[in-house]
Amino acid sequence: MDNLGFQCYNEAKGGWIMQLNEQINHLSKLVEILNQSIRNEEAASQVIEVAREMFNCSSVAVLMMDEHTEDLRIRISRGISHLFMKEYRRPLGSDIMVEVVRTQRPFMSAHVPMDSEFYQDLKLEHDYSSVMLAPICYAQNSIGILYACSPEPEHFSATDRQLFGILGHMVGMAVQKERLMKMARKLTPLDEKCGIFTYDAFREHLADEVKQAKEFHFPISLVLFDIDHYKSYREINGA
């Protein structure tokens, strides 16, 4: 390799390393954001914003599976019209999207010709040439797909596919985090706003008291108060 060729090689390598460092910085910032207590809708929005910056995509979308029909629906996106999002419903068939869901592995194609048998299967609203898919998983089950495309051929690389897979994993973690928080709220014995027993916890506590009263033969009384406008009172004076 002559000096000019070696210089060009070093410049190309240096540019690739700088781009990779920028992408890693994006991921690091995203991890900090997702560590905060936010809903998975907000987390998904943050992920696709970062994906669009990292990979300069024309369209990015989070497609989630319907719990009852298993059809894919667009939950949130960038570069896709609201009308298309609202009307989009895609049954899982036997194409590449199904393979991504089944294998839980990211997919990337640097160039999909418009006359390809897979073109329409991977198309959302706009024409594209390069495309990436990443599985979104929760409790080891696939629940959706993270999607990105570009009209430019060879737009994505193998490294991009791996990083995009990480973003899909982050969306899955956000879903898991929110569902666990909902479960924890159901299991906690105290109401967050009132600071008193929830109805389920009250029933369990009352059942225990009645059991002890019967066992040790002591009387027990139950007094119920019906407080008018309690919500307004609580908001002004606290619980």
Side-chain angles (χ1 to χ4, degrees):
M1 182 183 296
D2 57 22
N3 291 335
L4 180 59
F6 188 74
Q7 181 180 353
C8 292
Y9 169 78
N10 282 337
E11 289 177 355
K13 183 178 180 181
W16 177 81
I17 292 175
M18 287 182 61
Q19 181 183 6
L20 181 60
N21 285 335
E22 289 180 3
Q23 291 175 327
I24 292 174
N25 288 334
H26 279 303
L27 289 177
S28 298
K29 292 178 182 178
L30 184 59
V31 169
E32 294 178 5
I33 293 172
L34 298 184
N35 279 335
Q36 301 174 7
S37 180
I38 58 177
R39 296 180 298 109
N40 69 62
E41 291 281 350
E42 296 171 348
S45 180
Q46 293 287 348
V47 167
I48 62 175
E49 287 288 357
V50 168
R52 207 170 186 189
E53 292 180 13
M54 286 177 64
F55 309 111
N56 193 24
C57 314
S58 58
S59 298
V60 189
V62 171
L63 288 75
M64 301 297 288
M65 294 171 59
D66 187 287
E67 294 181 359
H68 305 290
T69 66
E70 294 191 348
D71 291 347
L72 286 172
R73 305 201 70 175
I74 300 176
R75 179 71 60 83
I76 191 168
S77 70
R78 297 293 183 273
I80 296 175
S81 69
H82 177 72
L83 179 61
F84 183 87
M85 283 181 56
K86 185 178 179 180
E87 295 181 348
Y88 182 86
R89 179 181 286 271
R90 184 182 187 283
L92 284 175
S94 57
D95 55 22
I96 295 174
M97 286 193 179
V98 178
E99 192 67 12
V100 171
V101 170
R102 186 182 66 82
T103 63
Q104 299 185 3
R105 293 178 182 175
F107 168 85
M108 186 272 295
S109 180
H111 180 53
V112 183
M114 295 186 70
D115 59 355
S116 167
E117 60 178 314
F118 302 114
Y119 186 85
Q120 290 299 327
D121 291 335
L122 297 173
K123 180 181 177 181
L124 291 187
E125 183 175 21
H126 305 294
D127 290 331
Y128 69 96
S129 182
S130 303
V131 65
M132 290 193 298
L133 307 174
I136 298 173
C137 303
Y138 166 69
Q140 299 182 344
N141 294 315
S142 296
I143 57 174
I145 292 176
L146 183 63
Y147 175 99
C149 72
S150 170
E152 302 173 359
E154 310 295 332
H155 186 76
F156 303 121
S157 66
T159 302
D160 290 340
R161 178 183 61 187
Q162 294 176 343
L163 294 174
F164 197 64
I166 294 174
L167 292 183
H169 182 63
M170 287 182 172
V171 177
M173 290 177 63
V175 172
Q176 182 176 18
K177 179 180 178 180
E178 183 177 75
R179 293 185 180 181
L180 289 174
M181 290 177 66
K182 287 182 178 179
M183 290 174 60
R185 283 194 290 268
K186 288 183 178 180
L187 293 174
T188 184
L190 297 179
D191 183 274
E192 292 181 358
K193 295 181 180 180
C194 301
I196 60 178
F197 281 127
T198 62
Y199 179 64
D200 289 340
F202 165 75
R203 288 181 57 188
E204 292 180 7
H205 188 70
L206 178 61
D208 289 338
E209 291 294 331
V210 171
K211 182 179 178 181
Q212 290 187 38
K214 289 181 178 180
E215 183 177 352
F216 296 102
H217 305 288
F218 61 76
I220 185 171
S221 300
L222 176 64
V223 181
L224 298 177
F225 292 94
D226 182 12
I227 304 175
D228 294 331
H229 311 296
Y230 177 69
K231 181 179 179 182
S232 300
Y233 176 87
R234 187 188 67 220
E235 291 174 351
I236 297 172
N237 302 290

